[in-house]
Amino acid sequence: MDVLMSLAVICLVAVLGVGPAAAAEPASGAAGNALKDIRETLDAGKKLLDEGKPGKAAARVAEASQAIEALAAEGTAPTAGLRSLWERCRSLRNDLELEGADVSGISRAPLKMGTAKASSPKPAAGKPAGKPMDAAAPAAGAAKPVAAARPAAKPAAKPALTFTAQVAPILSRHCGGCHIAGRKGGFQMVSYAGLMKSGMVQPGAGESSRLVETILSGDMPRGGGKVSPEDLGVLMKWIDAGAPFDGPDPTAPIDGLARQATAPPPAVVPTKPIVAVKLKAGDVSFAADVAPVLLEQCSGCHDAMQPEANLSMVSLERLLRGGRGGSPVVSGKGAESLLIKKLKGAGIEGQRMPLGKPPLADDVIATIQKWIDQGATLDLLTPKADLETLTAAGRSQKLSHDELKKVRFQAAGSLWTRAIPDEKPAVIERGDVLVVGNLSAAKLEELADTAEAVEGRLREEVMGGKPPLIKGGIVAYGFAKGYDLSSFWQTAFSDERPKGVTAVAGVLGDVVYAAVVPPAGGKSLGEKPSAGKHDGQTDASALLAEQMTTAALLGRGVPAWFAKGAGRAVAMKFEPKADLVEAWRRDLPAAVQRCGSPADFFGGRGDPVAMATVGGGFIAAIMPSVSRLEALVAQLDAGTPFDQAFASVVRGQPQPLFEAWAAQQATRGPRR
Ligand code: HEC
Ligand code: HEC
C-alpha cells in the first residue's frame, strides 16, 4: 500500500510539474480564442498528414508550435490547455518525423511558461493522479528528483472536483437523455473516454470548450431544462483543472457513474477478476458456444460505440459490466439473469431480444442459461478479448495446426484489406510465418528473412524446440509508413495509434499478428554514431522478437501486461546491442517515474511508450533468463491457468513483485 501511495505521488509530481505555473487558471477570453486558433491549426496539420502531405502538415504544426511558445512566454493562457496542445505538437512531430518531413521548425523542448501568472500561485490541488500521464510529459522533464518530492507532495493527492462524484451526475441529469442514451446532433458521451474523444472538452479551457459554450449561449440543454450556475461552475472548474478522470475505468458508462454517485452505494461484494479457467466435462464453453451467438445475434446493436441500453457486448468483461439495468448476468443464476429473461421475453420491461429478429432456439437459450448457471466462466483468452477473437479461438481448438494455418493466412489478407483497402500487399510465406506488407520487394524480403530467423530462435529458446511457436502460425505485417500502421490501428482498436508507437502485436479474429514499421536502415533511431552492427536491421530484429513473442503469448490468452513485458524482455535478450534496446534501457528510470499506479500498469492504462519500457524492465527483472519463460509457456500449453503458472515459475504474485521492483527503481533514481 505504501508503495502504491508513493507511486501515485510520484506520478502526481510528474503531472503537476513543479511550482505554481502548473496550477490551472481559467482561460481569459482572448487567450481562449488564441488556444482555439492553435487547435484548429493543429487539426489542419493532422488532416494534411492523414492525406499524405507531410511537408505541408509540418509547416502547420511548426506554426502552431511557435504560437504556443509565444503564448506560453506571455503567461496569460491556461497552462494545462497549453500543455495539452504542446503535447499534441510533439506527438505530431513524431509522426511527421516518421514520414520523413522536415520537423526542425517544431520544438521538442519542454514548454517554458511565462511568469505573468506566477504571482498568484494556487494550491496545486486540481489534478488527481488518475489523469493519463502522457499529457504532462513536458512537465516531467522539469520534475525534481522523486525521493525529495515525495512527502511534501502528499496533500495534493486530494482532488478538488471529481468526475465520478460531481461531473457525471450533472451530465447525466441535464444532457443524458439526448447525449448519453441518445446521439442528438451527432454528439454522444456514453463514457468519460467517449466524452473526451468527442472534442467537446478542451482540457484546461473550460470557457472555450464547446460543452460549456453551448450551455453559456443558452442553446443547451434543449427541451426546457436549465443548468444551475453552481453546476455550470463545477463543469468549468473541472475542465479548467485539466478535465481529469478519477474512476477505475474511463470507459465506464457515465449513467452508471452518476447512479453510483447519487444513490447510496449498495453493499456490493467486490467482484473477482475474471480469469480463464479449465472447463470440466459437460461445461458450456463461452468461446465456442456462447460468444458466437452473441456476436451474430446481438453485437450489431449492443456494439462498442453506441450500445443499445448502454449494454455493450464487445467482450465478456463489457457484457458482465452491464448497461442501464446493471449486469445482465447473475453468476450462478441463469433464470434470474436479465440476459435470459430478455431472451425468453417473459416478465421483463421493454422488448424481447434479439430485437426485430425471431427468438433464439430453446436449446440455444438453454445453453446460455447453463453457462450462467455454471458461473459464467471464461475458458479461453482474456475477459477483454473481443467476441470475434474469442469465437475464432473457440473454433481454432477444433482445427489442426495446418487447418488453422490455412484459415489464419487467408484471414490475414482480409484484415489487411479492411485496414488499407486501396493498397494490395505483397505476401511471402516462410514456414509458419506469413509476411504481408507494402514495403519494397527488397525490404519485404529482408523482413521475411528477419522474421524467419526470429521465429526459429523463439521456437528454439522459448518454446523448447517443439514446433510450432503458436498453433496455426503467425502473421507479420510490415508497413511502409507510420500512417499505414495508424490505419491498421484504427481497424484493430477503433482508436488512434498512440504517438511514438511503431509496432504492435495482437489477436484479431482468426489472425495472430505482429505488425511493425521496420526502422529505416542506417541511423534512423539511435542518436549516437554507429559502432559495429547497430543498424536498421538489428532494430527490426529486436522489434520483431518483441512483437512475435507478444503475439505468441497473447494467442495463449495471457494478460496483456505480461505478453508485452515478456516480448520486450526477450527482445532485450536477443538483440542487446540494438540501438532500440539501448534506448529502452536508457529510458527506463524516466518511464518508471511516468508510469501510473500498479493498477494502471496491470490495467494497461497510461502512456503506452512508458508502459512498454516499464513492462520490459519488470519482466526482465523477474525472469532473468529466457528459460523461465519457456517453463511458463510449457505450463500454459499443458492447460495450467496463467496465474497459477506465473506463481509457480516466478514464485510470487505479480502485484507485490511489481510494487517492490518499482520502489527499487525509484530509489535508484535517474542513471545514464
Ligand atoms: C432534449 C434534447 C437535448 C438535451 C437535453 C441536450 N441536448 Fe445538446 N443537442 C441536442 C440537439 C438536437 C443537438 C443538435 C443541435 C443542432 O444541430 O442544432 C445538440 C447538440 C449539442 C452539441 C453539439 C453541437 C454544437 O453546437 O457543437 C453539444 C456540445 C451539446 N448538444 C451539448 C449539450 C449539453 C452539454 C447538454 C446538457 C447540459 C445538452 N446538450 C443537452 C439536444 C439536446
Ligand atoms: C436491433 C437491435 C438489437 C438487437 C439485435 C439486440 N438488442 Fe438487446 N436491446 C436493444 C434495445 C433497443 C434495448 C433497449 C430497450 C429494451 O430493453 O427493450 C435492448 C436491451 C437489451 C437488454 C436490457 C439491457 C438493460 O440493461 O436494460 C438486454 C439484456 C439485451 N438487450 C440483450 C440482447 C441480446 C442477448 C441480444 C442478442 C441475442 C440482443 N439484445 C439483441 C436492441 C437490440
Side-chain angles (χ1 to χ4, degrees):
M1 186 57 215
D2 256 347
V3 181
L4 216 149
M5 252 322 285
S6 51
L7 254 177
V9 174
I10 292 168
C11 290
L12 192 75
V13 172
V15 170
L16 293 174
V18 173
E25 314 92 17
S28 71
N33 282 340
L35 286 178
K36 194 157 161 250
D37 288 347
I38 295 171
R39 208 179 310 139
E40 281 166 11
T41 309
L42 284 173
D43 287 343
K46 173 80 171 62
K47 189 149 172 282
L48 287 164
L49 176 61
D50 289 342
E51 288 164 0
K53 299 173 190 153
K56 285 192 178 146
R60 302 312 300 266
V61 179
E63 195 183 305
S65 151
Q66 280 143 25
I68 297 171
E69 275 185 312
L71 210 54
E74 250 174 51
T76 52
T79 331
L82 279 175
R83 283 238 160 83
S84 100
L85 289 171
W86 190 243
E87 197 49 31
R88 267 195 78 191
C89 275
R90 285 167 41 119
S91 147
L92 280 165
R93 185 186 196 280
N94 293 342
D95 288 346
L96 287 163
E97 200 168 18
L98 221 58
E99 303 303 336
D102 172 12
V103 293
S104 55
I106 311 168
S107 166
R108 58 174 178 184
L111 189 57
K112 282 197 206 60
M113 290 296 171
T115 49
K117 285 251 166 166
S119 53
S120 58
K122 290 189 181 175
K127 293 195 179 184
K131 189 176 178 305
M133 295 304 137
D134 48 351
K144 279 186 189 146
V146 177
R150 226 183 280 167
K154 214 166 177 177
K158 200 164 165 54
L161 278 173
T162 65
F163 181 81
T164 51
Q166 283 145 292
V167 177
I170 296 173
L171 295 178
S172 175
R173 181 159 8 107
H174 294 294
C175 328
C178 299
H179 296 297
I180 297 179
R183 194 183 163 77
K184 287 278 153 59
F187 166 45
Q188 194 174 31
M189 42 175 171
V190 172
S191 63
Y192 169 81
L195 171 62
M196 299 313 284
K197 249 196 192 151
S198 72
M200 298 300 173
V201 170
Q202 179 62 41
E207 207 172 327
S208 56
S209 287
R210 192 72 196 135
L211 188 85
V212 170
E213 274 178 0
T214 56
I215 302 174
L216 282 174
S217 71
D219 192 23
M220 293 294 148
R222 296 276 168 92
K226 189 121 186 69
V227 179
S228 71
E230 293 77 39
D231 283 355
L232 185 57
V234 168
L235 288 179
M236 286 169 70
K237 264 203 218 128
W238 169 73
I239 299 176
D240 284 340
F245 184 70
D246 57 301
D249 178 2
T251 65
I254 286 180
D255 273 353
L257 295 175
R259 250 198 323 268
Q260 276 169 21
T262 44
V268 278
V269 198
T271 46
K272 282 191 307 216
I274 315 158
V275 293
V277 297
K278 219 172 168 174
L279 295 180
K280 294 188 293 292
D283 275 356
V284 174
S285 156
F286 180 71
D289 306 325
V290 180
V293 178
L294 301 181
L295 182 66
E296 194 185 313
Q297 299 285 344
C298 325
S299 61
C301 296
H302 296 282
D303 60 356
M305 304 306 285
Q306 306 159 32
E308 291 291 0
N310 239 334
L311 174 62
S312 160
M313 300 191 191
V314 280
S315 63
L316 177 61
E317 181 186 70
R318 194 59 187 76
L319 167 68
L320 294 182
R321 195 199 293 151
R324 313 212 103 190
S327 178
V329 173
V330 185
S331 175
K333 296 183 176 160
E336 287 172 31
S337 296
L338 184 61
L339 189 77
I340 299 300
K341 287 189 189 160
K342 285 294 240 186
L343 290 174
K344 291 185 173 163
I348 48 162
E349 286 174 31
Q351 314 284 317
R352 174 191 55 75
M353 294 293 140
L355 188 63
K357 301 190 204 180
L360 300 186
D362 288 347
D363 62 327
V364 175
I365 299 178
T367 301
I368 301 177
Q369 185 165 346
K370 183 161 178 240
W371 166 71
I372 301 178
D373 286 339
Q374 94 196 11
T377 41
L378 176 70
D379 54 313
L380 282 174
L381 302 181
T382 69
K384 284 195 166 57
D386 62 283
L387 289 196
E388 194 186 340
T389 299
L390 265 172
T391 301
R395 194 165 51 232
S396 78
Q397 296 245 305
K398 301 185 179 122
L399 302 180
S400 71
H401 171 67
D402 287 329
E403 286 166 341
L404 183 58
K405 197 163 116 181
K406 223 183 212 161
V407 172
R408 178 160 303 156
F409 286 6
Q410 190 131 38
S414 325
L415 176 54
W416 175 288
T417 309
R418 250 205 286 161
I420 307 174
D422 49 358
E423 206 168 347
K424 219 172 138 27
V427 174
I428 302 177
E429 191 173 334
R430 292 281 178 85
D432 283 343
V433 188
L434 187 77
V435 181
V436 181
N438 59 351
L439 307 166
S440 70
K443 282 207 162 157
L444 199 70
E445 199 67 38
E446 191 179 298
L447 189 72
D449 289 344
T450 311
E452 193 181 15
V454 167
E455 197 255 356
R457 195 165 168 197
L458 281 173
R459 198 159 12 94
E460 205 51 51
E461 298 186 29
V462 183
M463 312 300 151
K466 298 182 303 284
L469 178 59
I470 180 155
K471 185 177 168 187
I474 201 163
V475 177
Y477 288 113
F479 296 110
K481 296 271 199 282
Y483 57 76
D484 297 330
L485 181 58
S486 298
S487 312
F488 182 81
W489 201 285
Q490 194 70 47
T491 304
F493 306 105
S494 307
D495 204 353
E496 252 180 79
R497 170 171 63 100
K499 62 183 167 140
V501 174
T502 59
V504 64
V507 183
L508 194 64
D510 290 305
V511 186
V512 176
Y513 65 85
V516 299
V517 181
K523 301 297 308 165
S524 66
L525 284 153
E527 279 164 1
K528 292 174 295 143
S530 98
K533 75 182 244 244
H534 294 194
D535 58 6
Q537 211 177 345
T538 321
D539 282 336
S541 170
L543 267 189
L544 277 172
E546 176 184 25
Q547 301 305 331
M548 287 169 71
T549 306
T550 302
L553 288 168
L554 288 174
R556 285 171 166 83
V558 314
W561 64 266
F562 181 80
K564 291 183 192 169
R568 184 154 285 195
V570 165
M572 289 161 79
K573 275 266 184 299
F574 278 18
E575 294 291 357
K577 296 221 168 102
D579 289 345
L580 203 53
V581 171
E582 285 180 1
W584 293 340
R585 263 193 233 108
R586 203 167 49 235
D587 293 345
L588 182 57
V592 172
Q593 287 191 25
R594 274 169 68 202
C595 98
S597 64
D600 284 343
F601 173 75
F602 289 108
R605 291 180 290 269
D607 172 14
V609 173
M611 287 298 176
T613 304
V614 167
F618 173 51
I619 302 292
I622 60 170
M623 294 190 143
S625 79
V626 176
S627 61
R628 291 229 185 157
L629 184 59
E630 185 183 344
L632 189 129
V633 168
Q635 292 208 19
L636 292 175
D637 287 351
T640 311
F642 171 78
D643 288 356
Q644 220 172 304
F646 181 92
S648 93
V649 170
V650 184
R651 297 186 202 294
Q653 296 298 322
Q655 181 123 353
L657 283 169
F658 181 81
E659 287 173 8
W661 173 80
Q664 199 184 23
Q665 295 296 313
T667 54
R668 214 178 268 182
R671 72 178 161 192
R672 288 247 49 183

